[in-house]
Amino acid sequence: MAQDGTRPGPGSTGGNDDAGPASGTVLPGPAHAGADDLVQLIDHHGVRHPHGHYDALVADVDGAALQRLYEDMVVVRRIDAEATALQRQGELALWPPLLGQEAAQIGSGRALRSDDFVFSSYRENAVAYCRGVDLADILRVWRGNASSGWDPYTINMATPQVIIGAQTLHATGYAMGIVNDGADSVAVAYFGDGATSQGDVNEAMVFAASYQAPVIFFCQNNHWAISEPVGLQAHVPIARRAPGFGIPSVRVDGNDVLACLAVTREALARARSGGGPTFIEAVTYRMGPHTTADDPTRYRDANELEDWAARDPLARLATLLDSLGLLDAGYTDSVKARADAVAAELREGCLSMPEPAPSDVFKHVYSTPNSWLDRQQDHYERYLASFAQAPQEGPR
Amino acid sequence: MTASRTNTRIREFRLPDLGEGLTESEIVQWHVAEGDTVELNQIIADVETAKAVVELPSPYAGVVVRLHEAAGTVVDVGAPIVSFEVAAGPDDAVPVPASVPDEPVPAEPAPARREPNLVGYGAAVEKGGRPQRRGRSLPAANAPQPAAVLQPAAAPQPRERPRSTPPVRKLARDLGITLDTLTGTGPGALITRADVLAALAGTPSSTAEPASPGPRPRAVRSSTGEIRTPIRGMRKHTAAAMVASAFSAPHATEFLTIDVTPTMELLAELKAGRAFEGTRVTPLTVVSKAVCIAIARNPILNSSWDEQAQEIVQYADVNLGIAAATPRGLLVPNIKAAQSLTLKDLAQALGALTETARAGRTPPTDLAGGTISITNIGVFGIDAGTPILNPGEAAILAMGAVRSTPWEYRGEIALRSVMTLSLSFDHRLVDGEQGSRFLADVGTILRNPAMVLTMV
C-alpha cells in the first residue's frame, strides 16, 4: 500500500530500477496518493534490497523457503513449456502460456491460505499449481475433454474464467459472502491489464469498496492485452485507478517473487482484519504469445522482449540463491528432477485422459435431478443406440 | 534412442491444428532428417500457419524414419508428416494386432478432415463404425439397391455457407442479394463488398448474355411447359418488401384526374428556351417539383411510422424515390434533399438517376433513406392504379399517362392533355384529409403551374 510504502532511496520509478546493492540504507518514503512506486525486494540483478515496510512481512522467508519458491517457478515454467509442446503436437486445442509471469503467480499464490478462494482468468496455471490442482485437470478444458477442469471446492479455486474480467465480480460476491459467514478467509481475483478496461472489473471494485469486502484485486500487468499495449488501457499506472474507488493499491515488481509474496500477505492481512479490499498491480511481462494461436512478433518489438528477458523472474532468484550459496548442484538437480517428473505426469495425464462420452454433456447441468433433462438424455441415448441397430450399409 | 529393433514400433505424427481452426500449414523447414534420433519435445520443424510461424516439438523420443513432406509444402491438418520408430511402451504390451503396427496409439492427433469454417468446426468426421445419421431400417430395403451402393459419394453434402464477412452479409441482405448466387473474388473465394455491389449493379455477369453463368435465377421449363424460376435475389427482396409494406401499413388510395395542358405547355416552353438546353424535362420533372412543394404544405406525407420506437418520424429532407425498372428488377433510388433543388437541378438529377438505374449501376446509398416515392406508370400507357408504399414511407404517387382527352374547358368540350394521379398513403399516420390536401396541391400545380406563386 502506498501510504505504507517505503523503499530504498535510488530509483524511485518504474521496473528499470538499476540500483545496486550499495545503498543498503532504508529511507522512509513519502506517503503517496498515487502508488506509482514499485515495491521491489529482489532486483533483476538478483540483489536483495532491504525494505522498511515489507521486510517484516517476509521475515520468515529463509533460504529454504526461497529455494521452494524457486522450485515452484521452475516447475510451473516447465508445466507451461510442456503444455505448449502438447498443443504443438495436437494434443491440446489451445494453451495460454504464462512464461514470464511465474513470480507474480507463485509469490501471490503461495501467500494464500487453503480456505481463501481464487477466481482466476485462464492464464493463472501457476496459481492453480499452488492450490494443489491435479495436473491433468489444468489441461482438461484445453484438450476439449470437459467444459470445466475441476471441482472448485476441492482446491478453493474457481475454474478459469475466459470472459475477460468477469471473475472479479465473482470474487467480490464471494467476498461479500465471506463477511456474511463471519469467516476470515479472502477472495482473490486474478486478471490482466486489459481486463481493467472492462466494466465488470470496475463494477466489482465499486461493490468491493462499498461493502468493504475481503477481496484482493490482483492485476498482472503483463503489458499486452493480446496485441494491445498497456498504454492503451491506461495513461497512468493502473494501480492509480483503485484509490478512485476508495481501494488502497500497490504496485509491485511482478517479476520479484518475494515482493509479490509480501504485498499479497499485506493485502490478505488487511482483508482478514476487516480492512476491506486491496488492489495489487504486479508489473510483469508476458514473454510468450497470448495463446498458442498468437504470433506476438507481429505486433511487438523484439527489443522489448529482450529488455524483459533481462528481468526474468527465475534468473534473478537463481542469482540470489547462488550468492547465498543455495544453488548447489544437488539442489538444482533435484529441482530439475522435480520439473521433469511433473512434466512427465502432465503429459501422461493428458494422453491418458479418457474421451468424454456423448451423454456426458448432460452432466453438471443441474446439481439436482431434473426430469426434463433426464428425458432429453434418455431420448439422446436412444437416438445413439439406434445407430447400433442400423443396417450394415448405413455407415459411410 | 537405441531401443532394440525387435522392441520398437512405428508412430505417425499428423499435422495438428496449430492455431484455432486452421486447416493447413506450410512446413517451412525441417530441423531433423530421416535417420536422426530425437528427444521428446525436440524441435523438429518450423511450420507456418495462417497465424504464425511456430516450432513443432517432437511428440516422441525415437528415430525419424520418414519425413512425409518436403520443406515448402503446404500440408492439410491431419495429414501425416513424420514417422518415428519409438521404443514400445507399456501401452504396447496390450495385445495389439501386429498387422497394424503404424497406428498411432495416443489420441488421434487430429481428425482427417475438417470443414474449413475456422471458429467452430462442427462435428468432426466420424472415424468409421458409426453412421453420421440414422440408418434406415425399412424391411424392404434389405436387398441392397445397387445404385445406392455404387454411389456412396453421391450422398448430398451439406452446402457450406458462402464465405464472406458480417458487414458484407448485411449489405447483401439489405440489398436483397443472395450470397449463394455470387462468386467471391477475395482471398479463398471470399465474397467481398465489391462483389456484392458488382452483383447489384449487374456487372460483370448479370447482364443479359445467355452464356453468362451469372447470378440471375435460372428458370427451368418443365415438360408441361410451365416455367419454374427459383425465388431469389432481387425478386425475393422485392416480394419481401411488398409483403412487408402491404401487410403492415394500411394503404388508402385516392385518385385525381386533371387537365395538365398548362404543364405540357410549360414543358414545351422550357424545351424551346435556352435555360434548360441540354436538360431533359418531362412531366415527371414537374410532378417531382410539385410533390416537393406539396410536402412543404403537408409535411406528414414525408414521414415514417417507427413501430419499434412507437414514434412518427417526420423528415426534414425530401429524399424523393423514383421507381425504376432495371435489368435486375424494380429499384427505387432516391434523390437526396430534393426539396432544395431548382427545377433544372431536379431535372438533371432525375435524368442521372434513371440512367444509372437502367445501366444497373445504382449505388447502395441511392437506395437507402428514401422518404416518399413517385412511380411513373404513365410510361407504360397506364392511367391509374394502387401503388404499394416503398417500405417505411408514408406515401407514394403514381402518375398516369398523359392523354389527349375530351375535357371540359372554359365551359366547352375540348381536347386536353389529361392525367390521373394515384396516391397511396399509410393510413396509420396520414389521415384522409391530409392525403387529400396533398394530392389536391399537386394537382393544382400541374393544372396551373403559375399557382405555385400562391403556395411557396
Side-chain angles (χ1 to χ4, degrees):
Chain A
M1 178 183 178
Q3 287 84 340
D4 300 329
T6 55
R7 59 183 327 283
S12 63
T13 53
N16 290 322
D17 190 349
D18 266 289
S23 75
T25 47
V26 173
L27 304 172
H32 289 280
D36 287 0
D37 287 357
L38 206 64
V39 176
Q40 189 186 57
L41 301 180
I42 303 171
D43 72 16
H44 64 284
H45 299 300
V47 176
R48 171 76 164 89
H49 293 272
H51 196 289
H53 177 73
Y54 286 104
D55 276 355
L57 284 153
V58 290
D60 62 313
V61 180
D62 55 12
L66 277 180
Q67 282 184 325
R68 284 196 296 277
L69 290 171
Y70 179 72
E71 182 192 295
D72 280 346
M73 291 200 291
V74 171
V75 168
V76 298
R77 179 167 287 189
R78 184 59 194 279
I79 289 174
D80 199 56
E82 194 70 16
T84 302
L86 284 166
Q87 194 281 333
R88 297 290 183 235
Q89 290 157 1
E91 302 296 344
L92 300 179
L94 190 71
W95 178 254
L98 60 76
L99 185 68
Q101 300 175 226
E102 294 88 350
Q105 295 191 19
I106 294 293
S108 59
R110 285 302 183 201
L112 305 182
R113 239 165 46 186
S114 65
D115 63 337
D116 295 330
F117 208 105
V118 173
F119 296 85
S120 80
S121 86
Y122 41 81
R123 208 184 297 283
E124 278 73 43
N125 294 298
V127 178
Y129 174 77
C130 292
R131 304 303 286 169
V133 71
D134 185 83
L135 291 174
D137 284 347
I138 301 179
L139 305 183
R140 201 171 295 280
V141 166
W142 303 111
R143 191 167 167 80
N145 274 37
S147 313
S148 162
W150 58 80
D151 175 355
Y153 295 103
T154 58
I155 57 172
N156 281 347
M157 176 168 176
T159 49
Q161 176 58 260
V162 175
I163 309 300
I164 301 300
Q167 71 275 19
T168 54
L169 288 169
H170 308 159
T172 299
Y174 187 94
M176 289 159 65
I178 290 172
V179 175
N180 289 339
D181 287 349
D184 73 340
S185 56
V186 178
V188 186
Y190 284 89
F191 52 98
D193 43 299
T196 60
S197 297
Q198 290 282 351
D200 281 3
V201 175
N202 291 272
E203 291 163 23
M205 285 165 69
V206 168
F207 273 77
S210 296
Y211 286 85
Q212 286 296 287
V215 56
I216 296 175
F217 295 98
F218 196 95
C219 173
Q220 290 170 82
N221 171 1
N222 70 10
H223 284 75
W224 289 94
I226 309 189
S227 57
E228 300 292 4
V230 66
L232 286 183
Q233 314 288 345
H235 285 263
V236 297
I238 289 174
R240 255 203 238 171
R241 291 186 180 176
F245 291 91
I247 296 176
S249 68
V250 58
R251 289 187 96 206
V252 62
D253 182 344
N255 286 6
D256 173 356
V257 69
L258 195 60
C260 288
L261 179 72
V263 298
T264 310
R265 282 179 169 182
E266 180 184 46
L268 287 165
R270 178 181 298 130
R272 293 195 209 290
S273 59
T278 303
F279 186 102
I280 297 172
E281 178 191 357
V283 182
T284 178
Y285 193 74
R286 191 195 79 207
M287 293 169 75
H290 170 70
T291 68
T292 47
D294 173 43
D295 179 4
T297 64
R298 294 196 186 187
Y299 52 81
R300 75 183 180 192
D301 189 350
N303 295 324
E304 189 181 292
L305 181 60
E306 211 169 278
D307 291 347
W308 280 92
R311 299 172 212 166
D312 186 279
L314 275 67
R316 74 173 71 179
L317 187 52
T319 308
L320 177 62
L321 287 172
D322 198 23
S323 70
L324 297 171
L326 295 170
L327 200 70
D328 56 275
Y331 169 70
T332 52
D333 286 352
S334 75
V335 169
K336 182 176 183 311
R338 167 90 179 125
D340 285 348
V342 167
E345 182 189 340
L346 184 79
R347 174 171 288 269
E348 173 59 23
C350 177
L351 299 185
S352 65
M353 201 176 287
E355 296 281 322
S359 59
D360 283 359
V361 73
F362 295 96
K363 289 182 179 173
H364 313 304
V365 177
Y366 290 97
S367 58
T368 52
N370 181 293
S371 61
W372 186 69
L373 192 71
D374 290 346
R375 197 160 60 90
Q376 280 190 44
Q377 180 166 2
D378 176 53
H379 286 181
Y380 186 57
E381 282 169 356
R382 280 193 279 151
Y383 168 71
L384 291 178
S386 72
F387 292 115
Q389 297 155 8
Q392 202 56 39
E393 67 268 26
R396 299 255 191 270
Chain B
M1 295 271 115
T2 52
S4 114
R5 298 305 266 185
T6 56
N7 197 20
T8 60
R9 50 184 292 148
I10 303 296
R11 296 223 170 138
E12 218 170 49
F13 178 43
R14 294 164 186 269
L15 180 72
D17 172 6
L18 295 160
E20 290 172 279
L22 301 174
T23 56
E24 61 180 27
S25 304
E26 180 184 343
I27 296 175
V28 177
Q29 187 186 357
W30 285 109
H31 292 298
V32 294
E34 290 176 0
D36 283 1
T37 299
V38 295
E39 301 287 337
L40 177 67
N41 292 343
Q42 179 180 332
I43 302 304
I44 54 173
D46 292 339
V47 173
E48 181 163 18
T49 71
K51 292 181 176 178
V53 176
V54 300
E55 296 177 324
L56 267 195
S58 171
Y60 304 110
V63 177
V64 176
V65 294
R66 186 171 166 210
L67 300 180
H68 294 259
E69 303 286 353
T73 316
V74 176
V75 183
D76 282 346
V77 166
I81 51 171
V82 200
S83 292
F84 297 90
E85 184 179 73
V86 301
D91 289 2
D92 308 321
V94 200
V96 173
S99 55
V100 282
D102 57 348
E103 186 183 31
V105 162
E108 291 288 309
R113 180 154 296 279
R114 284 168 164 170
E115 289 296 317
N117 57 353
L118 294 179
V119 179
Y121 300 118
V125 175
E126 292 286 343
K127 291 188 280 277
R130 270 189 179 166
Q132 297 203 52
R133 56 182 65 135
R134 185 195 297 265
R136 289 171 190 268
S137 50
L138 295 173
N142 266 348
Q145 295 290 324
V149 173
L150 286 173
Q151 299 175 2
Q157 258 186 314
R159 259 177 66 76
E160 198 191 326
R161 188 165 78 141
R163 296 187 62 195
S164 192
T165 58
V168 174
R169 286 186 203 289
K170 182 179 186 312
L171 174 71
R173 197 165 57 242
D174 291 349
L175 296 177
I177 291 171
T178 313
L179 290 182
D180 297 276
T181 61
L182 302 189
T183 306
T185 60
L190 193 79
I191 295 171
T192 64
R193 179 171 292 270
D195 293 335
V196 172
L197 295 179
L200 177 77
T203 56
S205 49
S206 80
T207 41
E209 318 97 275
S212 155
R216 303 294 299 271
R218 193 177 300 163
V220 177
R221 186 181 290 270
S222 78
S223 54
T224 57
E226 68 196 17
I227 297 172
R228 302 192 68 89
T229 307
I231 298 164
R232 53 166 78 123
M234 190 63 82
R235 174 50 51 203
K236 192 169 183 173
H237 177 68
T238 303
M242 289 300 120
V243 168
S245 176
F247 297 110
S248 67
H251 286 54
T253 308
E254 296 185 330
F255 305 95
L256 177 65
T257 304
I258 43 171
D259 174 1
V260 296
T261 311
T263 292
M264 302 312 285
E265 288 166 0
L266 171 65
L267 289 174
E269 241 176 90
L270 292 176
K271 283 172 186 167
R274 303 276 306 264
F276 279 71
E277 204 174 288
T279 304
R280 191 161 175 260
V281 283
T282 66
L284 176 63
T285 316
V286 183
V287 170
S288 297
K289 191 69 192 170
V291 161
C292 291
I293 293 165
I295 282 173
R297 295 160 54 91
N298 307 276
I300 192 66
L301 276 289
N302 191 49
S303 60
S304 184
W305 178 275
D306 188 339
E307 180 71 32
Q308 205 169 6
Q310 285 296 298
E311 287 169 347
I312 291 167
V313 187
Q314 188 175 301
Y315 298 109
D317 278 341
V318 180
N319 294 342
L320 184 66
I322 306 293
T326 75
R328 290 192 62 81
L330 173 67
L331 287 180
V332 191
N334 61 73
I335 296 168
K336 300 287 188 286
Q339 85 285 357
S340 65
L341 301 181
T342 63
L343 188 68
K344 186 175 178 183
D345 289 343
L346 192 57
Q348 284 168 347
L350 284 165
L353 177 137
T354 44
E355 195 175 309
T356 310
R358 286 199 187 118
R361 293 195 315 268
T362 302
T365 48
D366 278 6
L367 294 173
T371 61
I372 188 168
S373 294
I374 296 174
T375 175
N376 187 359
I377 56 178
V379 296
F380 303 110
I382 303 302
D383 295 323
T386 304
I388 293 182
L389 294 165
N390 202 23
E393 298 178 6
I396 181 168
L397 182 71
M399 47 185 288
V402 178
R403 295 186 189 285
S404 204
T405 307
W407 198 256
E408 187 264 34
Y409 180 66
R410 293 181 180 170
E412 295 179 3
I413 298 206
L415 276 182
R416 303 288 292 175
S417 294
V418 174
M419 172 203 264
T420 300
L421 297 171
S422 314
L423 176 77
S424 287
F425 52 87
D426 183 345
H427 216 330
R428 289 176 299 182
L429 64 163
V430 179
D431 294 336
E433 183 202 350
Q434 296 158 327
S436 303
R437 286 187 186 282
F438 171 82
L439 186 58
D441 281 350
V442 174
T444 299
I445 294 167
L446 296 177
R447 203 181 278 125
N448 182 2
M451 287 301 283
V452 169
L453 293 173
T454 68
M455 298 167 77
V456 293

